[in-house]
Amino acid sequence: MGIKEQPKLPQFRIVANILLAVSGLFLLLNLFLPGLFASGPTGVPYSLFIHQVQEGEVSRVSVGQNQIIYQLKAENAEPAQVFATTPIFDLELPKLLEEKGVEFAATPPPKNTWFTTLLSWVIPPLIFIGIWQFFIARGGGGGGPQGALSIGKSKAKVYVEGESAKITFADVAGVEEAKTELVEIVDFLKTPARFTQIGARIPKGVLLVGPPGTGKTLLAKAVAGEAGVPFFSISGSEFVELFVGVGSSRVRDLFEQAKKQAPCIIFIDELDAIGKSRSSNGFYGGNDEREQTLNQLLTEMDGFAAGDATVIVLAATNRPEVLDPALLRPGRFDRQVLVDRPDLSDREAILKIHAQKVKLGDDVNLKAIATRTPGFAGADLANLVNEAALLAARNLREKVAQEDFAEAIERVVAGLEKKSRVMNETEKKIVAYHEVGHAMVGALTTGNGRVEKISIIPRGMAALGYTLQLPTEDRFLMNETELRGQIATLLGGRSAEEVVFNSITTGASNDLQRATDLAERMVTAYGMSKVLGPLAYQQGQQAAFLGNGGANPRRAVSEDTSKAIDSEVKEIVETAHEQALEILRQNRDLLEAIATQLLETEVIEGEKLHDLLSQVKPVANS
Ligand code: ADP
Ligand code: MG
Ligand code: ZN
């Protein structure tokens, strides 16, 4: 990457780290040296020492605080033996020694004592700092190596223009609205006069909002690449520390540095980590540390007037709904830019950008790939291209072929194949009917996309077999019939098990979960229940998004309403279940035929599958 990180005060960190290492070493030496290298006197029990003194065998004694070293009288020509013992509190000892005519003295204090004393003063604080640093590094989401002395300093990375391959707006496809907004910011930083002349007030804060992987961080980097001004980048999670007050001092430090280097940009990624609504964080005033950090951020953003220092704060979040309203007030993040999932043409453009990095075969049709990947974010598409390239390499191809992309899409959607998971014959049979059940119900109901493949080769985390349905177009709205169709399709697997084996296995639990979620959202979020009417029974705005995972917490409702919701959800699921059962009963022969074939080949896909599924007859009486 062309963007380089400008290290901040590296000498400081290095010195601090060396100090830590050296003192640690000393500590270790202190602990182990005496034992390791002291080839000195043999240790004996105190009682033996006293005994030897009384016997008159001892010639000299040196009494220390922790050790008594003594020498025996030289016998024959042998050198005098030296022993050591640990003293006990014995006031009689000097008397005894004098009585026996032993030469004795107290051990003089060790010569290097000033050094030892110094160490004993220096080491404990250093150890403490070391531990502190360890916790901070962990608490700070594992940010890079930090010096002990950088506590409380902002960890912001300063990006400067790199010489090679910097990220620019050309590297970001789609998201035109966001780009327009950000181009304006860059213009302003480059030529502020043009704006201030006509009295235009420049926005202080721009908040990029959108689902994960849609290119928010990438956009910010592109701004850095385009702007030609210093760019301070920090992630919100790095502000949140173990120690109250550290986060807020970081914020202060960050803005101080930024003001010195104005005009410049501050980018706070994952703003929600600090910006969570203050009222929503639970009992007893919530998280003090985060609250202080947030307050400091608000203060700093109010602190600089648009006139003096041109510091623009850019931030990104994928959870705007949890942000504290104070952050979104005019004068703070007064501009919010939606960075949404790409639509068809955007996806094609993003694929084009990432496909430049790999060798493409002639048969590759990026548009067709874009068509088959609704709901994929930019990051998913980048990943897809890479997966396809890996597959091509594994297949010893020189260029990436369309079929590599097809397999890559499947991997991303359904997970990796797990050929190693061996099912017994009965299980295989159940899975085969189960998947054919999904496929046949899916073929008759709308709102599912087209069934492209059924397989009983295990894939991904949980699936024993799977049915791959790929949308034929981008869908932003769905009607009730289509949602009911989706639920019926989800129940198709279990229904097939019921029809054929007259029993149910555990394999359908994920299907049931999804079907129930969907039904619940129809009732509580989309207002599709006649009984309950067009009311939102879920909290939060997210409920309105299509294809958004699980259900939100329910609004507080009366017991009656709650019962009514439950019975409506149940009604929707059961109706869909009946529909699925009916389809499969009336097409029982076809079900047998396709399942038998699937058991033989393990996979049915493409034209062959379309042919088979086109024979599914609609239910007679509906
Ligand atoms: P976010 O910050 O929104 O979660 P990122 O900016 O980290 O997403 O995106 C991750 C990666 O996905 C980028 O590095 C880039 O390779 C790819 N990507 C995402 N969106 C786009 C886009 N609009 N154009 C090109 N590449 C994209
Ligand atoms: Mg990001
Ligand atoms: Zn299933």
Side-chain angles (χ1 to χ4, degrees):
M1 203 179 300
I3 285 180
K4 272 199 303 198
E5 212 175 289
Q6 181 182 299
K8 200 163 64 80
L9 295 181
Q11 318 89 304
F12 246 17
R13 291 195 181 150
I14 291 168
V15 169
N17 283 331
I18 288 179
L19 250 132
L20 260 176
V22 167
S23 53
L25 199 68
F26 267 115
L27 188 76
L28 283 180
L29 285 180
N30 261 358
L31 282 176
F32 294 115
L33 256 186
L36 270 180
F37 298 102
S39 60
T42 324
V44 297
Y46 190 72
S47 57
L48 178 67
F49 162 64
I50 293 296
H51 179 76
Q52 283 172 324
V53 171
Q54 278 166 345
E55 294 296 308
E57 292 169 10
V58 178
S59 72
R60 290 204 280 169
V61 177
S62 156
V63 185
Q65 229 176 352
N66 303 315
Q67 201 180 34
I68 292 176
I69 296 173
Y70 65 97
Q71 200 175 17
L72 296 187
K73 284 176 182 154
E75 276 169 40
N76 310 325
E78 279 175 37
Q81 280 179 284
V82 178
F83 293 97
T85 187
T86 312
I88 57 174
F89 188 68
D90 184 355
L91 285 173
E92 304 291 307
L93 184 62
K95 223 164 108 193
L96 176 71
L97 291 173
E98 206 180 79
E99 255 170 41
K100 297 289 171 188
V102 181
E103 186 188 331
F104 70 95
T107 315
K111 288 213 182 65
N112 61 351
T113 182
W114 64 269
F115 190 64
T116 324
T117 318
L118 186 71
L119 279 186
S120 72
W121 279 93
V122 169
I123 290 178
L126 280 179
I127 292 175
F128 178 70
I129 290 175
I131 293 171
W132 190 7
Q133 193 195 357
F134 172 72
F135 276 114
I136 282 196
R138 283 178 26 149
Q146 300 289 325
L149 300 175
S150 70
I151 289 163
K153 296 278 176 195
S154 91
K155 289 182 181 174
K157 302 172 195 75
V158 184
Y159 289 103
V160 291
E161 269 180 85
E163 304 79 36
S164 62
K166 61 179 179 181
I167 295 176
T168 65
F169 284 131
D171 295 309
V172 192
V175 291
E176 288 308 324
E177 185 198 351
K179 271 202 226 167
T180 319
E181 193 82 13
L182 295 173
V183 166
E184 197 182 303
I185 300 287
V186 172
D187 280 352
F188 168 70
L189 287 169
K190 282 181 170 164
T191 53
R194 215 179 79 203
F195 291 78
T196 46
Q197 237 174 13
I198 25 174
R201 195 179 64 83
I202 300 307
K204 253 187 226 173
V206 179
L207 181 61
L208 302 173
V209 179
T214 44
K216 298 181 293 299
T217 308
L218 186 71
L219 268 169
K221 284 184 184 162
V223 171
E226 299 271 348
V229 298
F231 186 88
F232 295 83
S233 161
I234 190 164
S235 168
S237 57
E238 289 173 65
F239 280 119
V240 181
E241 296 288 355
L242 194 62
F243 299 99
V244 175
V246 176
S248 53
S249 87
R250 284 220 167 107
V251 172
R252 204 176 313 123
D253 185 64
L254 173 63
F255 277 81
E256 232 160 62
Q257 285 185 46
K259 274 183 241 168
K260 274 185 212 145
Q261 303 218 27
C264 70
I265 297 173
I266 294 177
F267 174 52
I268 306 176
D269 209 352
E270 282 148 48
L271 182 67
D272 45 281
I274 29 172
K276 276 211 193 100
S277 169
R278 281 167 294 187
S279 58
S280 75
N281 28 358
F283 316 104
Y284 310 119
N287 182 336
D288 264 354
E289 162 61 2
R290 196 176 55 220
E291 212 159 285
Q292 284 194 16
T293 310
L294 173 57
N295 284 337
Q296 189 64 38
L297 180 65
L298 296 176
T299 314
E300 294 292 348
M301 289 197 71
D302 290 342
F304 55 86
D308 45 77
T310 40
V311 179
I312 287 182
V313 185
L314 211 63
T317 180
N318 48 31
R319 306 175 60 200
E321 72 283 353
V322 303
L323 289 185
D324 198 291
L327 272 173
L328 308 177
R329 230 189 50 189
R332 289 165 184 164
F333 290 106
D334 39 12
R335 289 230 185 154
Q336 292 167 39
V337 179
L338 180 65
V339 186
D340 209 354
R341 290 213 180 81
D343 64 15
L344 180 62
S345 60
D346 291 343
R347 285 198 302 276
E348 193 182 344
I350 295 173
L351 282 169
K352 221 171 250 163
I353 285 180
H354 290 281
Q356 281 165 7
K357 294 170 204 151
V358 301
K359 281 188 193 150
L360 285 192
D362 298 332
D363 66 330
V364 173
N365 181 346
L366 292 180
K367 179 152 195 193
I369 299 165
T371 315
R372 294 183 138 219
T373 47
F376 276 46
D380 303 322
L381 294 169
N383 182 32
L384 182 71
V385 173
N386 190 50
E387 277 288 333
L390 288 174
L391 283 169
R394 190 175 307 161
N395 293 332
L396 302 177
R397 270 194 268 278
E398 305 238 304
K399 290 177 173 173
V400 187
Q402 185 77 5
E403 64 184 282
D404 296 321
F405 277 102
E407 166 69 11
I409 292 173
E410 216 175 314
R411 283 186 170 212
V412 175
V413 173
L416 290 183
E417 271 189 5
K418 290 214 183 69
K419 290 214 162 126
S420 58
R421 188 182 283 159
V422 182
M423 290 183 282
N424 67 32
E425 287 307 311
T426 329
E427 280 175 344
K428 238 182 180 168
K429 205 167 157 190
I430 294 171
V431 172
Y433 280 99
H434 180 107
E435 298 308 332
V436 176
H438 282 309
M440 287 175 63
V441 177
L444 268 201
T445 53
T446 48
N448 294 293
R450 195 169 156 130
V451 184
E452 294 288 345
K453 180 170 184 173
I454 41 180
S455 158
I456 52 170
I457 299 171
R459 214 178 237 283
M461 299 290 282
L464 293 173
Y466 64 98
T467 304
L468 185 69
Q469 285 177 312
L470 292 176
T472 44
E473 58 190 341
D474 280 16
R475 294 299 302 270
F476 300 101
L477 291 172
M478 283 214 179
N479 63 33
E480 191 183 334
T481 318
E482 287 169 327
L483 288 171
R484 282 180 186 267
Q486 271 193 1
I487 297 173
T489 306
L490 283 166
L491 294 168
R494 177 200 153 108
S495 304
E497 291 182 37
E498 282 172 76
V499 168
V500 178
F501 304 101
N502 207 7
S503 75
I504 306 151
T505 63
T506 53
S509 72
N510 182 38
D511 297 337
L512 301 189
Q513 185 77 47
R514 284 167 55 197
T516 315
D517 278 355
L518 205 52
E520 181 163 349
R521 263 183 288 148
M522 284 175 66
V523 176
T524 61
Y526 308 145
M528 286 177 178
S529 156
K530 289 199 184 64
V531 180
L532 288 149
L535 270 72
Y537 294 98
Q538 286 185 12
Q539 284 170 338
Q541 323 145 339
Q542 285 215 349
F545 286 142
L546 193 68
N548 160 49
N552 283 356
R554 265 190 208 173
R555 205 178 278 283
V557 291
S558 71
E559 204 176 312
D560 288 348
T561 311
S562 181
K563 268 189 199 151
I565 292 175
D566 290 342
S567 81
E568 276 293 284
V569 171
K570 195 162 171 229
E571 188 273 331
I572 292 178
V573 175
E574 297 217 310
T575 312
H577 185 200
E578 278 310 316
Q579 190 189 358
L581 282 173
E582 226 17 70
I583 293 175
L584 294 172
R585 283 199 192 109
Q586 299 200 8
N587 291 281
R588 177 72 194 259
D589 292 345
L590 188 63
L591 173 62
E592 298 285 350
I594 304 180
T596 314
Q597 195 168 341
L598 183 60
L599 275 168
E600 252 165 53
T601 56
E602 295 202 325
V603 177
I604 309 178
E605 61 187 324
E607 278 312 308
K608 197 168 161 199
L609 182 64
H610 296 158
D611 278 352
L612 287 169
L613 290 179
S614 65
Q615 298 168 35
V616 184
K617 289 189 289 291
V619 175
N621 60 355
S622 72

